[in-house]
Amino acid sequence: MKIQLALDRMEIEEAIELTRKVADSIDWIEVGTSLIKEFGIVSVKELKQAFPEKTVVADIKTIDNARYEFEMCFEAGADLATVMGAAPLVTIDACMEVARRYNKKVMIDLLNTSSEQKRALMKYKEAILCDHVSKDEQEESGSQNRGTTSGQLLDDPAIQVAAAGGITLESIGTLRATMNPAVAIIGSAITKAVDPAKAAAQFKQICHQEEELV
């Protein structure tokens, strides 16, 4: 299970400095939506330049204008970019085409998608499907419930799944046991920890222990 570090609501230099502290314990670096919105695509470029050996995810959450946005992300150095599962299928098709052309990857965010939409999205075998509990849902209602999403995705072993939203040191073991995502997307449990390096190392240790037990 890869650990994707989600960097949001901070300055670019702060994001780079924090990532340096935890780089040995994480696999992928997510340039969060708030970073891209506040500082532009330069945030993706600077994170990739700072960590060229890491997979960099541009969490741009495309829902329209797919070719332009995905080309922009990949030209800036992103290895993977995100599109909303609620977008029209023609938009997602365009994202997949651009990713193939650049030899990059697509992550489809399943936030606010219906069961019917999820079934339609499972045809994208080359993509990673992200089971996402929103920040607003966590903060406003306290919910971290993934509902039936994981069950639908796990029905097809060919689907690569990521999990995002509210993952903590206390919950990641259960997540691995019940869902076993290919990617665990972790934000504040690392970025807001008193000691981010220690927190990231603990996540890494738990993931390795779980892998040994499988």
Side-chain angles (χ1 to χ4, degrees), residues 7 40 73 112 122 126-127 155 196:
L7 300 166
C73 288
N112 204 37
M122 289 176 72
E126 300 168 59
D155 286 342

Side-chain angles (χ1 to χ4, degrees), residues 41-95:
I41 202 66
V42 68
S43 58
V44 175
K45 187 173 184 178
E46 291 194 20
L47 263 297
K48 185 62 178 180
Q49 287 177 342
F51 303 97
E53 76 287 358
K54 295 287 188 184
T55 294
V56 170
V57 180
D59 190 19
I60 198 164
K61 290 186 171 68
T62 289
I63 198 163
D64 191 17
N65 201 19
R67 293 184 189 281
Y68 177 80
E69 292 192 358
F70 263 52
E71 287 173 355
M72 179 173 61
C73 288
F74 296 147
E75 290 288 345
D79 301 285
L80 189 152
T82 64
V83 60
M84 299 307 294
L89 291 182
V90 66
T91 297
I92 299 173
D93 287 340
C95 292

Side-chain angles (χ1 to χ4, degrees), residues 1 21 67 178 207:
M1 184 163 58
K21 294 178 182 178
R67 293 184 189 281
T178 58
C207 290

Side-chain angles (χ1 to χ4, degrees), residues 40-213:
I41 202 66
V42 68
S43 58
V44 175
K45 187 173 184 178
E46 291 194 20
L47 263 297
K48 185 62 178 180
Q49 287 177 342
F51 303 97
E53 76 287 358
K54 295 287 188 184
T55 294
V56 170
V57 180
D59 190 19
I60 198 164
K61 290 186 171 68
T62 289
I63 198 163
D64 191 17
N65 201 19
R67 293 184 189 281
Y68 177 80
E69 292 192 358
F70 263 52
E71 287 173 355
M72 179 173 61
C73 288
F74 296 147
E75 290 288 345
D79 301 285
L80 189 152
T82 64
V83 60
M84 299 307 294
L89 291 182
V90 66
T91 297
I92 299 173
D93 287 340
C95 292
M96 299 299 295
E97 187 278 321
V98 174
R100 284 191 289 268
R101 181 154 40 90
Y102 279 81
N103 196 26
K104 305 291 187 177
K105 296 282 286 183
V106 175
M107 183 179 287
I108 302 174
D109 191 322
L110 300 179
L111 188 65
N112 204 37
T113 52
S114 66
S115 295
E116 184 178 355
Q117 285 173 313
K118 290 181 180 69
R119 284 192 294 270
L121 294 168
M122 289 176 72
K123 72 177 183 177
Y124 296 107
K125 307 297 186 186
E126 300 168 59
I128 300 170
L129 272 58
C130 181
D131 182 10
H132 186 185
V133 178
S134 75
K135 176 64 72 174
D136 289 337
E137 191 173 0
Q138 295 173 58
E139 293 180 345
E140 301 300 328
S141 68
S143 173
Q144 294 181 11
N145 181 23
R146 299 188 183 277
T148 60
T149 300
S150 58
Q152 284 184 273
L153 300 180
L154 295 175
D155 286 342
D156 187 341
I159 297 293
Q160 294 184 77
V161 180
I167 298 173
T168 64
L169 283 166
E170 291 73 30
S171 68
I172 193 167
T174 300
L175 178 70
R176 178 61 190 264
T178 58
M179 188 176 173
N180 193 27
V183 184
I185 302 173
I186 303 165
S188 59
I190 292 175
T191 62
K192 294 184 179 179
V194 174
D195 186 341
K198 180 179 178 181
Q202 288 174 315
F203 274 109
K204 181 180 179 181
Q205 183 180 26
I206 292 169
C207 290
H208 285 185
Q209 287 174 344
E210 290 292 330
E211 287 169 1
E212 290 168 4
L213 292 173

